[in-house]
Amino acid sequence: MSRSFAHLIVAAAVTSLLILACFQVPGDWNWSGVWEYRQKFISGWLVTLGLSLAALVLSVAIGLIVALFLGAQNPLIEATGRIYVEIIRGTPLLVQLLLGFYVIANAVGLENRFVVGTLVLAAFSGAYMAEIFRGGLNAIPKTQRDSARAIGLTQWQSFRLVILPQAVRLVLPAIAGQLVSLIKDSSLLSVIAISEFTLNAREVNSFTYSTLESYVPLAIGYLMLTLPLSATSRWLEKSFSYER
Amino acid sequence: MRLTIKDLTQTFGTTRVLDKLSIETGRVNSLALVGPSGGGKSTLLRILAGLDIPTSGTVTFDGTTLQRDEVNLRLYRRTVGTVFQSYNLFPHLSARENLILPLVHVHRLSRDEAIARVEEPLRRFQLHEHADKRPAELSGGQNQRIAILRAMVVRPKRLFLDEPTSALDPEMTAEVLDMIEGLKESGTDFVLVTHAMNFARRVADEVAFIGDGTVLSHGPAESVFENSKNSRVAAFFQQVLR
Ligand SMILES: Nc1ncnc2c1ncn2[C@@H]1O[C@H](COP(=O)(O)OP(=O)(O)O)[C@@H](O)[C@H]1O
Ligand SMILES: [Mg+2]
């Protein structure tokens, strides 16, 4: 199934959900209550956008560095990377956020919850990115490295000009998927009282008792972040693609 | 070039792939390495090209002995060219970008200088219409000719070619062999591993027959092909030249 078709279905599903909701419960429908709190949705959405963008950039960087660790010749460096990945992947993000904020950040005197939240989210996502990048780097045939050495490139040039560009093209869909997860996972930052999108929507719900009216915009707001991301990835994939 | 190899040994784990291999060539433009599969030809060529470091022994080209450390070997590799059996072009770059990359990033030409430098060779070998295509869009023969050009445009002292036509369909071997024969006319020295015996006989000044990690026969082409006293060498030629 083509992904543009998939996007169409998503859009249709959301629209029909909205329409259905409007017609099914006409008496109880209460948009005006929620409308009064529109500023809360907007500010929450912006916080989520900002957090996600920062964590996104950071997690790609962490992912790349840890991927290099995982492939290191030095067994100590490799083990360090492996331990990091296993600890992060073996514990829930929720627990990492609580520990990160109430224990680690507290101990080092880091008080800004936005910074801590972004760091934990990036560290979390970075572990998954690392595995994805590692897979991509491993998939580049050894002969490419040979070829790069033969023309006299340094190890770093070989990585930067030959291996990485090929690996990135290979893992782009998986990376895009991980970024979508990151955006959705950012909703958990509400547990350390960051006024992001989900927390604000829940607050509006508790003020207005309009559950559907509070949470439908929430779903749409997240889709507004994730759909452009997968569309961009699809476009990049197409313009990068080449047969091997 | 004049090549002297002394007691070259290469072991991988417990297997000894090259075993005290020695050879001394005269002043030649081209040397062909022939012999059965698994005999150690590629292993030898990789050491000559500065890609691998031998367990022991020395390689000397024109009086200069190859160093054993990666930094010096990289400097050495920048002065020579290597062509692999499976081309190993960079698949994410167009043919032209493949040629330009070493010029810009290793030999410090500006991009414009590099583009200008590769234009004439691309035309000479009828590759300019394909220069903007990626390797996957080119035939095997075109890929291998681009790979030879990539090694040539940096104006190397000499070229190392490891079975450059073995991965090609028969109808494409001629265009690549022609190009290699052209090297001889242009005065570029080369060491060639090949199974194309008639071609080796025609272009190589000297031929070395490699088997079991050592030199079983070596000398001017005719003497190796026709009057080999070594029974294994004679048997091999009887098979392949039949
Ligand atoms: N990196 C390596 N590790 C282990 N064995 C190798 C390696 N490279 C080559 N060999 C072995 O060395 C022998 C000679 O290989 P090679 O030099 O490729 O021979 P040829 O090119 O003459 O066919 C083969 O038996 C091969 O399996
Ligand atoms: Mg070989």
Side-chain angles (χ1 to χ4, degrees):
Chain A
M1 187 175 65
S2 93
R3 265 197 268 177
S4 54
F5 187 57
H7 286 167
L8 210 69
I9 290 184
V10 171
V14 171
T15 319
S16 42
L17 180 71
L18 273 176
I19 293 170
L20 210 70
C22 291
F23 284 112
Q24 269 193 346
V25 279
D28 300 337
W29 202 244
N30 172 21
W31 280 112
S32 57
V34 171
W35 180 247
E36 279 187 28
Y37 291 98
R38 63 190 177 279
Q39 205 48 51
K40 230 170 161 43
F41 281 107
I42 293 169
S43 71
W45 189 83
L46 287 175
V47 166
T48 290
L49 175 68
L51 281 171
S52 301
L53 276 180
L56 191 147
V57 172
L58 211 58
S59 74
V60 167
I62 292 175
L64 259 180
I65 292 167
V66 176
L68 290 180
F69 273 42
L70 291 175
Q73 303 286 322
N74 184 329
L76 208 68
I77 297 180
E78 200 228 308
T80 309
R82 181 58 43 212
I83 289 168
Y84 173 80
V85 170
E86 294 307 333
I87 287 179
I88 296 272
R89 294 201 314 177
T91 55
L93 175 58
L94 187 60
V95 173
Q96 291 165 24
L97 280 167
L98 294 173
L99 272 176
F101 186 65
Y102 292 108
V103 180
I104 300 174
N106 207 22
V108 300
L110 196 59
E111 277 169 14
N112 188 322
R113 52 186 79 232
F114 289 91
V115 172
V116 177
T118 305
L119 286 177
V120 173
L121 193 58
F124 174 77
S125 194
Y128 291 85
M129 298 271 187
E131 288 284 46
I132 296 171
F133 277 125
R134 192 67 249 157
L137 293 173
N138 286 347
I140 307 304
K142 194 184 149 288
T143 51
Q144 285 291 303
R145 214 161 301 223
D146 255 0
S147 198
R149 289 179 68 227
I151 60 175
L153 295 181
T154 63
Q155 225 185 336
W156 170 240
Q157 285 178 318
S158 157
F159 179 73
R160 186 169 56 90
L161 301 169
V162 177
I163 308 299
L164 189 61
Q166 294 184 52
V168 165
R169 284 161 168 81
L170 223 55
V171 301
L172 209 61
I175 291 291
Q178 182 54 39
L179 293 178
V180 167
S181 297
L182 183 152
I183 291 174
K184 294 184 294 179
D185 290 339
S186 73
S187 63
L188 275 176
L189 294 182
S190 52
V191 299
I192 54 170
I194 290 180
S195 306
E196 47 70 60
F197 199 29
T198 302
L199 183 74
N200 283 13
R202 274 162 60 192
E203 274 179 28
V204 173
N205 178 40
S206 67
F207 298 149
T208 61
Y209 304 107
S210 314
T211 311
L212 207 65
E213 296 88 330
S214 302
Y215 293 151
V216 167
L218 188 61
I220 295 172
Y222 277 109
L223 283 172
M224 280 166 61
L225 293 174
T226 54
L227 288 184
L229 190 60
S230 34
T232 309
S233 131
R234 193 162 50 94
W235 177 78
L236 281 175
E237 228 179 294
K238 223 188 247 160
S239 55
F240 272 175
S241 73
Y242 55 89
E243 303 284 319
R244 297 193 134 258
Chain B
M1 65 180 167
R2 195 184 282 275
L3 167 64
T4 308
I5 300 174
K6 271 213 188 84
D7 293 333
L8 199 65
T9 297
Q10 182 70 301
T11 53
F12 296 110
T14 54
T15 39
R16 179 170 292 222
V17 177
L18 298 181
D19 189 9
K20 296 204 161 205
L21 183 147
S22 295
I23 199 171
E24 177 145 20
T25 72
R27 179 163 296 283
V28 294
N29 289 118
S30 53
L31 170 70
L33 304 176
V34 302
S37 280
K41 303 182 298 296
S42 295
T43 305
L44 172 59
L45 198 77
R46 288 180 62 87
I47 295 170
L48 298 184
L51 287 166
D52 286 340
I53 300 171
T55 312
S56 64
T58 57
V59 173
T60 307
F61 278 103
D62 300 322
T64 309
T65 299
L66 297 199
Q67 307 276 303
R68 295 183 58 87
D69 64 289
E70 177 62 17
V71 174
N72 275 303
L73 276 180
R74 190 194 313 129
L75 294 178
Y76 167 73
R77 291 197 295 268
R78 290 177 174 182
T79 67
V80 299
T82 302
V83 176
F84 301 93
Q85 180 175 340
S86 48
Y87 344 126
N88 300 1
L89 291 171
F90 303 132
H92 60 299
L93 300 177
S94 69
R96 180 182 280 109
E97 293 298 332
N98 265 278
L99 300 186
I100 289 172
L101 188 133
L103 291 172
V104 170
H105 292 280
V106 179
H107 298 271
R108 299 293 160 203
L109 269 66
S110 74
R111 216 186 132 69
D112 288 343
E113 289 168 334
I115 290 171
R117 164 125 31 133
V118 303
E119 197 51 37
E120 190 275 327
L122 279 170
R123 282 183 190 284
R124 177 149 37 104
F125 294 100
Q126 277 96 53
L127 288 164
H128 56 284
E129 300 144 39
H130 307 296
D132 294 316
K133 296 181 187 164
R134 295 221 170 101
E137 301 168 278
L138 300 174
S139 74
Q142 289 165 340
N143 268 300
Q144 193 57 294
R145 287 187 291 141
I146 292 288
I148 295 174
L149 274 191
R150 182 173 70 180
M152 285 298 297
V153 290
V154 302
R155 296 174 186 159
K157 276 199 206 132
R158 69 190 79 89
L159 231 53
F160 301 99
L161 306 106
D162 192 355
E163 300 195 34
T165 58
S166 294
L168 299 179
D169 293 333
E171 69 268 23
M172 290 169 185
T173 54
E175 64 191 51
V176 171
L177 291 181
D178 284 350
M179 194 167 169
I180 296 169
E181 205 161 354
L183 293 177
K184 202 170 162 67
E185 279 142 35
S186 74
T188 307
D189 294 344
F190 60 91
V191 179
L192 166 74
V193 174
T194 187
H195 287 295
M197 297 301 164
N198 289 321
F199 181 72
R201 168 186 267 170
R202 191 165 75 239
V203 302
D205 298 331
E206 290 186 14
V207 174
F209 188 101
I210 312 284
D212 293 336
T214 189
V215 178
L216 295 180
S217 178
H218 165 231
E222 315 81 61
S223 76
V224 172
F225 282 111
E226 273 142 37
N227 322 311
S228 194
K229 302 200 175 52
N230 186 306
S231 61
R232 277 206 56 197
V233 179
F236 178 80
F237 284 133
Q238 228 164 37
Q239 281 224 321
V240 295
L241 294 178
R242 203 169 19 154

